[in-house]
Amino acid sequence: ERPRVETRPPSVGTLGDVAIALATQAGIEPEPWQADGLRLMMSIREDGKWAARQYAEWLGRQQGKTGGLLMPRALAGFLVLGEHLTTWAAHLYDTAKESFILATELLENLGEEIGKDLIDIDGVVVKVVNTNGAKGFIRRDTKARWHFMARSQRSGRGFTGNTNIVDEAWA
């Protein structure tokens, strides 16, 4: 289905199909509305920059925003697009932790564990960071990071990531 309200900026192409293919390979098959959202979110202008600098979906809870829409975008940024820092923020710590667990499973589906907290994805070694104070991933080759956190008035301030994902943008 098409959204009731939608704005589509002018674009010359999209990298959304890269995210869709990667998600499918990892075990997520985006639904048509999610695939359309990824294509829009990742559309590019003539100068090669993002056509949509910001992107939002307004849906009820448990409708597929995290797994089918946001996770493929973050995977593509981390593994394919060369984005150096992806910050994933959720309103609650438990929500961020569940997203981290899902991302870990998807990365494992794409590659193979080669040691404690290391995943090899076609020659790209990813370190899984899972401590009490930090959850995320670090690429060993480029040092790119994907960081998961709970959103609050103090946490996350000062981050200047390539991609900032706000999962469940409540309050």
Side-chain angles (χ1 to χ4, degrees):
E1 292 184 31
R2 303 295 303 172
R4 185 176 59 81
V5 176
E6 180 179 73
T7 302
R8 287 187 176 262
S11 66
V12 296
T14 183
L15 297 174
D17 291 321
V18 171
I20 293 164
L22 188 60
T24 302
Q25 186 180 353
I28 294 175
E29 186 69 42
E31 295 178 20
W33 73 268
Q34 294 164 326
D36 185 58
L38 283 161
R39 289 183 186 106
L40 172 57
M41 179 190 323
M42 300 179 73
S43 59
I44 52 174
R45 303 184 313 206
E46 198 169 282
D47 63 4
K49 295 182 179 181
W50 296 121
R53 288 184 38 122
Q54 297 180 355
Y55 179 88
E57 286 275 351
W58 291 348
L59 295 147
R61 292 183 43 74
Q62 306 298 316
Q63 297 297 312
K65 296 179 298 293
T66 301
L69 189 64
L70 300 177
M71 199 59 69
R73 170 59 184 93
L75 279 171
F78 184 66
L79 293 174
V80 179
L81 303 178
E83 295 174 343
H84 189 69
L85 176 60
T86 300
T87 300
W88 184 291
H91 180 64
L92 299 173
Y93 176 74
D94 284 345
T95 304
K97 185 171 72 174
E98 287 302 315
S99 296
F100 168 74
I101 291 168
L102 173 60
T104 303
E105 291 171 3
L106 296 174
L107 290 170
E108 288 172 347
N109 290 347
L110 289 169
E112 63 178 287
E113 292 182 59
I114 59 170
K116 182 169 172 36
D117 298 327
L118 293 174
I119 303 169
D120 183 329
I121 304 168
D122 294 329
V124 174
V125 178
V126 175
K127 178 171 178 45
V128 179
V129 178
N130 187 7
T131 65
N132 286 338
K135 301 225 178 293
F137 310 101
I138 302 171
R139 284 183 57 156
R140 300 291 291 268
D141 58 346
T142 63
K143 307 299 184 220
R145 293 167 295 149
W146 181 0
H147 176 69
F148 291 78
M149 58 189 255
R151 212 170 39 258
S152 73
Q153 288 184 341
R154 288 180 293 258
S155 70
R157 289 184 175 270
F159 280 88
T160 55
N162 297 99
T163 303
N164 297 307
I165 294 177
V166 179
D167 192 4
E168 294 189 358
W170 182 80

